[in-house]
Amino acid sequence: MSEIDIRTLDTVEAIHEAAGVLDRVWGEDGTMPANILRALEHAGNYVVGLYDGDRMIGASAAFFGPPAERSMHSHITGIVPGYQGRGLGRQLKNHQREWALERGVGRITWTFDPLVGRNAHFNLAVLGARVTDYLVNQYGEMADAVNRGDESDRLMVSWALAEPPAPTPTDAGISAVVPVPDDIEALRSSDPAAAAEWRRRVRDELRGHLASGRRIGGFDRRGYLIVG
């Protein structure tokens, strides 16, 4: 693999290429329409492509939050198959962090599916972002190949850019663990009823813990979210 480069997308051609890349990742046309990406970029928001040489292999878009909050919301990031699992997500997140700090942003928020263990590990254990809310069916029904047939529950996280990563609770500080499926995306296709049951169970447990003032503070690679 040649050197990976991250570039701001400031031409119509690059924007359309990025929209196509995101469609490949999610298996759905119109995942992030080119006109929306173009509008976000033109308004000064974060719209970048991840390149291997001259080939775009990923894309990411984020937009500024309310001015008083000095925040940015990272809406979508995707890397094409064949390049996933190589640490490029971390490289992209570090680029996003530096870009935000240069513009006076102190916090980045985003959402992720709590049933996807690899994302939970990356967001909570690697980056040290903090869970701030459980959002039930946040985006409504989604037609893409990754999410089709399931409710779009998400955990909202906040990443304080100038602070140390939020620590994972120690063994003594763990009050509960919440298992997640090994591969929810495959389960949605093979056994939709079982996938829906996982959704309901994890939703009820996590919302109950948050309502009790507990913190979802990490992910164990054996397959469960850690509550402290």
Side-chain angles (χ1 to χ4, degrees), residues 8 12 14 16 28 55 58 65 69-70 89 96 124 130-131 142 147 150 160 189 192:
T8 299
V12 172
H16 277 271
E28 173 73 9
R55 180 190 178 204
E69 294 184 8
R70 296 179 55 246
Q96 191 177 78
L124 304 181
R130 293 179 181 271
V131 173
M142 302 179 74
N147 296 288
D150 194 4
S189 298

Side-chain angles (χ1 to χ4, degrees), residues 47-60:
V47 180
V48 302
L50 191 66
Y51 287 83
D52 181 1
D54 292 329
R55 180 190 178 204
M56 190 186 299
I57 51 98
S60 182

Side-chain angles (χ1 to χ4, degrees), residues 146-196:
V146 174
N147 296 288
R148 187 181 300 124
D150 194 4
E151 293 180 282
S152 56
D153 286 21
R154 296 292 185 266
L155 286 177
M156 174 71 81
V157 297
S158 178
W159 191 28
L161 304 182
E163 297 178 11
T168 298
T170 62
D171 289 346
I174 296 174
S175 59
V177 295
V178 179
V180 300
D182 292 335
D183 189 342
I184 185 60
E185 293 161 2
L187 192 61
R188 288 182 186 125
S189 298
S190 65
D191 192 342

Side-chain angles (χ1 to χ4, degrees), residues 168-170 172-177 209 212-218 225-228:
T168 298
T170 62
I174 296 174
S175 59
V177 295
H209 289 310
S212 298
R214 300 186 183 96
R215 180 173 72 91
I216 303 166
L225 290 155
I226 298 169
V227 180

Side-chain angles (χ1 to χ4, degrees), residues 112-114 116-126 155 218-219 225:
F112 73 93
D113 187 341
V116 181
R118 66 181 183 277
N119 289 347
H121 176 263
F122 177 69
N123 293 324
L124 304 181
V126 176
L155 286 177
F219 183 80
L225 290 155

